[in-house]
Amino acid sequence: MWSGRHDSYFEETGKAIAEQLQRSRSRQRAKAVKYSREQVEQSRKISHEAEAAELERLAVLGQIPQAEYKARMAALDDDADEGAEK
């Protein structure tokens, strides 16, 4: 049968494999979180650009007053600044 040394070897090997898997999963999670944050930021940027273009279109067509256009663009810029800080 197996002696105590063999059992210890298998235990240590099993622990080493488990630790390696845990480190690998941690790296994968970190990469996934980073990718997700990049996607959120890119989506936010596209949304703000689209909203800014729509505001400009409405102002050019005279459908909103110039003061409202400026106020909404300032609010949009503030919102974009807050998103960039996170």
Side-chain angles (χ1 to χ4, degrees):
M1 286 288 301
W2 296 99
S3 69
R5 288 187 310 206
H6 291 292
D7 290 341
S8 176
Y9 169 76
F10 288 123
E11 276 184 35
E12 289 178 25
T13 302
K15 286 180 185 178
I17 292 170
E19 289 171 359
Q20 185 178 6
L21 284 172
Q22 185 177 9
R23 285 191 301 270
S24 176
R25 287 184 185 135
S26 291
R27 283 192 299 271
Q28 288 175 341
R29 276 193 302 274
K31 286 180 183 179
V33 166
K34 180 181 176 186
Y35 177 77
S36 177
R37 287 180 179 156
E38 289 170 353
Q39 292 298 306
V40 166
E41 183 59 34
Q42 184 178 10
S43 177
R44 182 179 289 126
K45 182 179 177 183
I46 291 169
S47 173
H48 284 187
E49 288 172 356
E51 190 172 345
E54 178 65 11
L55 285 173
E56 187 173 342
R57 184 187 73 80
L58 292 173
V60 168
L61 294 174
Q63 294 181 352
I64 59 173
Q66 193 67 25
E68 182 181 349
Y69 167 76
K70 288 180 181 180
R72 289 173 66 180
M73 285 299 287
L76 190 61
D77 288 341
D78 288 346
D79 187 41
D81 291 341
E82 287 176 15
E85 291 174 1
K86 290 181 182 178

